[in-house]
């Protein structure tokens, strides 16, 4: 076990525990954007940066992917941290001025008007890559990727055309921290404007509610190696069926 002091709170943790886990455990708030417990943390957005002191040496690290490997003192509110946090938010606010999530964080951390005059994008995407990571690591289809470099970098489908590998599950929509991907279910179809992709929706055999795309069901059949009865019912009816057993 290692001794940890986080914002003055003392505790002990197992080797490899991340700073963010300790913070959550001790109810110390560290802002995050690209962190999601279902995918490998990469510290891409840098929002969770904190200051640590190990072996008498201080430095800034990202809390989500920093494994504790020695006794450590963590400061989530040091002047260096606050300055960097505000700088990151200034850049994000300058780039995505319409994003409610970025505006909310900017206000919370005292950023009003960004000093930078950067190329703006009005689609709320902060290019954190979480949607790309989820599509690859959770769904396993890699239907999207990050394009180009610098200010033109953005998540796209191959050649920015309708993707042949996308199953229309919507994982990218649910995981995006800034609601930058829209998914519309209407008239038996599901449409993703950002991916220029449309799917046919499948109805639950019990209540008729549309609950998945036809491509998604076929994909799950392939992954499970069979036409499982669970693939014919919406989550609600599935729970009802299970409780009646
Ligand atoms: S669409 Fe959302 S999840 Fe994907 S890169 Fe942009 S902000 Fe991140």
């Amino acid at each position: 076990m290692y001794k940890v002091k986080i914002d003055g709170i003392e505790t002990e943790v197992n080797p490899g525990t991340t700073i963010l886990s300790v913070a959550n455990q001790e109810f110390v708030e560290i802002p995050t954007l690209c962190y999601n417990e279902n995918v490998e943390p990469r510290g891409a957005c840098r929002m969770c940066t904190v200051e640590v002191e190990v072996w008498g040496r201080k430095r800034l690290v990202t809390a989500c992917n920093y494994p504790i490997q020695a006794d450590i003192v963590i400061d989530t509110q040091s002047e260096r941290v606050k300055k960097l946090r505000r700088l990151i938010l200034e850049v994000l606010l300058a780039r995505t001025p319409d994003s409610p999530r970025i505006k909310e964080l900017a206000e919370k951390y005292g950023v009003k008007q960004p000093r930078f005059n950067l190329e703006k994008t009005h689609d709320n995407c902060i290019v954190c890559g979480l949607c790309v990571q989820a599509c690859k690591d959770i769904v396993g289809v890699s239907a999207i990727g990050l394009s180009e470099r610098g200010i033109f970098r953005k998540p796209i489908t191959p050649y920015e055309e309708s993707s042949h590998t996308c199953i229309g599950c919507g994982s990218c929509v649910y995981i995006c921290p800034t609601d930058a991907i829209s998914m519309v279910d209407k008239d038996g179809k599901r449409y993703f404007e950002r991916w220029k992709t449309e799917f046919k929706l499948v109805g639950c055999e019990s209540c008729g509610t549309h609950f998945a795309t036809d491509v998604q069901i076929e994909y799950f059949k392939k992954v499970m190696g069979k036409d499982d009865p669970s693939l014919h019912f919406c989550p609600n009816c599935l729970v009802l069926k299970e409780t009646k057993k």
Side-chain angles (χ1 to χ4, degrees), residues 94-99 119-125 194:
R95 288 274 290 141
T96 55
D98 308 326
S99 165
E119 184 84 19
K120 289 181 183 27
T121 157
H122 294 282
D123 65 1
N124 296 349
C125 176
R194 183 177 276 275

Side-chain angles (χ1 to χ4, degrees), residues 124-132 146 155 172 175-178 180-181 194:
N124 296 349
C125 176
I126 57 166
V127 201
C128 66
L130 199 50
C131 53
V132 173
L146 286 177
C172 53
I175 210 161
C176 175
T178 54
I181 308 167
R194 183 177 276 275

Side-chain angles (χ1 to χ4, degrees), residues 147-165:
S147 75
E148 309 183 39
R149 301 233 156 250
I151 58 163
F152 300 110
R153 198 159 167 78
K154 61 179 178 180
I156 56 164
T157 53
Y159 306 106
E160 298 198 56
E161 288 171 2
S162 179
S163 169
H164 297 300
T165 48

Side-chain angles (χ1 to χ4, degrees), residues 182-199:
S182 73
M183 176 174 88
V184 178
D185 286 359
K186 200 176 169 209
D187 301 330
K189 288 188 177 153
R190 172 169 290 176
Y191 183 63
F192 297 88
E193 194 185 343
R194 183 177 276 275
W195 314 133
K196 300 182 189 76
T197 312
E198 191 178 274
F199 295 89

